[in-house]
Amino acid sequence: MAPPASARPASPPPSASGTPEDSGRTGLDAASVRRGFFEHVRYSRGKNPETATPHDRFMALSLAVRDRLTDRWVKTARTYYEQDVKRAYYLSAEYLLGRALGNNLLNLNMYEAAAAAMQDVGVDLSQLLEMEPDAGLGNGGLGRLAACFLDSLATLGYPGMGYGIRYEFGIFSQDLVEGHQVERADEWLKFGNPWEIVRPEKAVPVRFFGRVEHHQGPDGRPVARWVGGKTVIGVPYDTPIAGYGNNTVNTLRLWQARASAEFDLLLFNAGDYERSVVEKNDSEVISKVLYPNDAFQAGKELRLKQQYFFVACSIADIVRRYLKNHNDFRDFSRKVAIQLNDTHPAIGVAELMRVLVDEKRLLWDEAWSITQETFGYTNHTLLAEAMERWPVSLFERLLPRHLEIIFEINQRFMRQVQIRYPFDVEKQQRMSLVEEGPEKKIRMAHLAVVGSHSINGVAALHTDLLRRDVLPDFAQMYPERFNNKTNGVTPRRWLAWCNPRLSKLITSRIGEGWATDLDQLQKLEAHAEDPEFRKAFREVKRANKDELAQHVRDLRWVQLNPDAIFDVQIKRLHEYKRQLLDAVHIVALWMKARRDPASVITPRAFLFGAKAAPGYHLAKLTIRLINGIAEVVNSDAGATGLQVVFLPNYRVSLAERIIPAADVSEQISTAGWEASGTGNMKLMLNGALTLGTLDGANVEIRDAVGDENFFLFGLTADEVIARKKAGYRPREVYESNTELREALDLIRSGFFSPEDRNLFQPLVDSLLNEDRYLVLADFASYAAKQEDVARAYKDTESWTKKCIINVARAGIFSSDRTIKQYAEEIWRVQQTNVE
């Protein structure tokens, strides 16, 4: 729940517009907001104030806030057009935006005015804020990073635009039924979305299937025409993205699939009601759900359709916008920068070539030069299975022209490789865009690398591993293309908004400038020596813990002990993130506490939040195990001091509650597997201490805060590789560690699943027979470091000082810093002032 206005952080100074003299649609004072609210209650909702429902009031206030964005939104677009600026276009399959009303109130400097206006009419603003659903447009860190980047682009005044899919049902809404994850449709659009504006006049036709016809054009050059097949219409929905403390409002454009023929009246009149709408259903399923299960052929086809659909729409839109100011394509790469957020939009390389060569009739070499100069590619994973590869047979059927273009790109590229490495056939095979085998596949990451002038990782270690282990041949051939851009998080949402108590305390000591210059947090370090500041810092943390405890009690009927260490692991559920290591350790800790209550150094509350992919059996079993452990451990928390809670339906708005209250941030992935992480940065920024491996951005966090302010355990990435090469035998680790063996035996016995004694057998078998992510190998180190955490927490003053230092040194992890690096080093876009 949002705190009262008195607890909200300082907002940016008001802009030139938005004075009390402005109309009810633009004024930022309480009277104007109230007037705008009443106008929308009547004219947008068709209600009297007395009959308006809480939802009517939420929609009316949101629309009143959108009015204040719209004037700046229009001016921003006009400025970019009139100045013919270079723009950065971010193509991402996910945008995990979170709730928009509070964030827009903060960025427009009108939270206090809105709270006062609502109070005047007898409405609690905090209750309205709670009514907004999280936009169902993403799942994990990839989508949240994209949202942070949009915020930073607008706040820094860079001309930029996001493109994605308007998923009707998003990922899924997670319920827990008898401890099991149950997926339900996330109907986030059920009651409408007040922030978006549909633009049907800018709809784009997208072709699938069909065939390619080849002939000679009038100029004697070969012509390829993609004909036949089915056409789907992409309809754009625009959402304003407001900058903090400026007049810039950029755009997130999301595409929804519509059928080109909505309804077959002849079939309907003939009584064939199902077939009369079959094309509509086939087309519109494209934008129904984020990441359909691709374990079967139809799922694979739908996922590739989704990727091509939003990329084709976006590139058509980018080209259309460019041609408003230009008659040819000589300046295209000087006015357009396109960033591929992972491999999902990699088909964009082939699509831009198709548009330039087939539709705009450019020569191949010219088109290829433009394409490479336009695209940048961000890699977000070291997992081989996440480096997408699509069957050639699927491409041939679904996107026949693109397959021809990819083959042509590959033929020309492989000739370069052959000239460079004439006798290295294995290297040529490794670098080919086409993977040979029983089933030929297109390597989408290779297409992105070959078609881009920049390839970046998202943490220093990740980029090093990309160069050395994942794409070494490409890094050797194109060393100048590879670079690092460590991820970041926006301090507006992840401190100013979600933690107003801490924000207010920080501002009282160092002023307001930190929200747009996070390096200013360094000034806090001097205050770490001040006992009064440490006391105030602890009071803020305690108030946040009390608030989270209340929420957990309401949601899960567990009364958390606010004096306990709040040990938090919140992230996507995957084996490499090792929620299972956390769970097995809790069992060992509980068994030890049952035998010897004096072994409990300090009370502990372990908090989890995560969604598992619907088809990921072991991940879903891990959720069931955590809930089984919680049922047992919480039943005698009074004796052991231990508590466990799995909070369902983890999302941005839930993270905003958990992160300010966290004491310990669990970042325990197997070293060498996590690309970066951004949850680690958010928790650090809010004063949690990291317990983690040397993986992803943990490396840079530890460098920033110092070893004494970071709880390090586990094998390094190189040690993980060496351990596996030496012939890792997890069962030997199990046999040699009594604590570990007893915990796994208890899990395997069915103690935590009395309804099915064999339920967790697959989890234990996976650890004992393979343990791909070295859970057992790192267990002893992890358990020992957890003891260090408990002892350190007992020294209240020292712990508080460590927390303050973590906050003070978090400046480098602002997404503003990351976006500046993208803008200056990859995109070459300039900050543009919107008057």
Side-chain angles (χ1 to χ4, degrees), residues 10-59:
S11 293
S15 304
S17 61
T19 62
E21 291 76 25
D22 287 337
S23 75
R25 289 191 178 271
T26 57
L28 302 182
D29 61 292
S32 296
V33 173
R34 185 170 60 250
R35 185 163 61 250
F37 170 76
F38 279 128
E39 286 178 358
H40 281 292
V41 167
R42 179 178 293 274
Y43 298 113
S44 298
R45 304 302 298 170
K47 295 285 186 72
N48 289 316
E50 300 79 21
T51 60
T53 65
H55 177 69
D56 290 326
R57 297 186 187 109
F58 161 72
M59 292 292 285

Side-chain angles (χ1 to χ4, degrees), residues 4 50 60 121 162 253 262 410 431 453 569 624 698 752 833:
E50 300 79 21
V121 299
R253 177 160 287 179
E262 291 273 328
N410 192 49
M431 296 182 75
H453 69 277
Q569 191 174 19
R624 174 62 184 88
N698 286 357
F752 299 106
N833 183 47

Side-chain angles (χ1 to χ4, degrees), residues 161-209:
M161 190 168 180
Y163 282 108
I165 298 178
R166 184 180 182 263
Y167 301 105
E168 187 176 343
F169 296 110
I171 179 73
F172 59 81
S173 180
Q174 180 194 56
D175 286 344
L176 296 177
V177 178
E178 297 180 347
H180 292 274
Q181 170 179 294
V182 175
E183 302 94 22
R184 304 192 191 282
D186 179 12
E187 298 183 84
W188 71 283
L189 290 169
K190 183 176 182 179
F191 296 106
N193 177 6
W195 304 107
E196 64 186 10
I197 295 177
V198 61
R199 315 277 191 194
E201 74 280 5
K202 292 180 180 174
V204 175
V206 179
R207 187 186 304 275
F208 293 102
F209 306 109

